[in-house]
Amino acid sequence: MIKKLNLTFLLSLVAISSATVHAESQIVAPQGQEVLIAFPELISSEKAIPAKVTDNIEVPPGAVRAPAPPLTQMWVYAVGSTNCGWEYTVGLSVTTCDHGGAQLRTAVLEIGYGSSRIAWMNGGVLPGSAMYASTPVCITGGYYSWPCTAGQTVVGFLNEYNVDGYQNGIFKYQNTSINSPWNTMSVQISIL
């Protein structure tokens, strides 16, 4: 009896998953519109940022751990959308591209370690689930880079946010250092 119920359950799962695959494979974009299924990965070499000499953290030989560095720098590294793809925004307070479409993403590059990330879009706090990726950042050849390779010291993070549903507005990000001096830093950008 139990074997028969298990077999019936497994057959039901197969039927449901095949129906789902069939339904998903028939998604058709309206003619002339591009559908962005997965957002492209941000590559550090596209907009290389020189690392400060003081950010090159040396771990003493034989040391397993070292203190985490406090937050020292922060940028809205890029804004991405269905209409524009990724626009690199380091040093900008306003995007140059007219973003919009089904997907809108932001990426914040922070140097140092923080403990209380908060992100806002148009004044509303985004849920923690809006951050869909956090990639460790290291220093390679005098520039901030990711992904880190084995043996490199993590000096910061690239945090990516999903703000789908917005066409434009103010994106703001804030974090507080995990250790002394417990400073709070923030950055924002106006998305056109």
Side-chain angles (χ1 to χ4, degrees):
M1 180 70 171
I2 292 176
K3 287 182 182 181
K4 187 176 180 180
L5 287 175
N6 284 341
L7 181 59
T8 304
F9 177 72
L10 289 174
L11 289 174
S12 297
L13 285 177
V14 170
I16 291 169
S17 62
S18 66
T20 303
V21 170
H22 179 70
E24 288 176 1
S25 66
Q26 293 187 10
I27 296 173
V28 178
Q31 194 170 12
Q33 286 189 355
E34 180 182 334
V35 174
L36 194 57
I37 302 300
F39 223 76
E41 185 177 336
L42 273 168
I43 301 169
S44 59
S45 61
E46 291 292 322
K47 179 65 177 173
I49 299 176
K52 286 185 173 182
V53 175
T54 57
D55 291 338
N56 194 357
I57 300 157
E58 295 294 326
V59 177
V64 178
R65 298 177 186 201
L71 291 173
T72 57
Q73 297 180 75
M74 187 179 288
W75 304 273
V76 175
Y77 181 76
V79 173
S81 67
T82 307
N83 289 358
C84 301
W86 283 116
E87 175 185 356
Y88 296 93
T89 56
V90 173
L92 299 178
S93 59
V94 178
T95 62
T96 56
C97 188
D98 185 11
H99 288 275
Q103 295 179 311
L104 183 61
R105 308 295 162 90
T106 59
V108 176
L109 178 59
E110 61 182 10
I111 304 306
Y113 282 62
S115 61
S116 57
R117 298 179 190 107
I118 304 171
W120 295 266
M121 188 65 194
N122 289 340
V125 175
L126 296 173
S129 61
M131 186 176 79
Y132 66 92
S134 183
T135 306
V137 173
C138 295
I139 297 175
T140 305
Y143 291 90
Y144 296 117
S145 63
W146 57 88
C148 298
T149 58
Q152 284 189 297
T153 302
V154 175
V155 297
F157 297 89
L158 178 73
N159 299 317
E160 297 177 61
Y161 284 86
N162 177 334
V163 288
D164 293 355
Y166 294 93
Q167 296 296 307
N168 55 37
I170 304 288
F171 172 81
K172 183 178 178 182
Y173 176 86
Q174 173 183 301
N175 204 349
T176 301
S177 288
I178 198 166
N179 55 19
S180 180
W182 297 281
N183 57 306
T184 297
M185 297 185 74
S186 66
V187 65
Q188 73 177 33
I189 192 160
S190 177
I191 301 171
L192 298 178

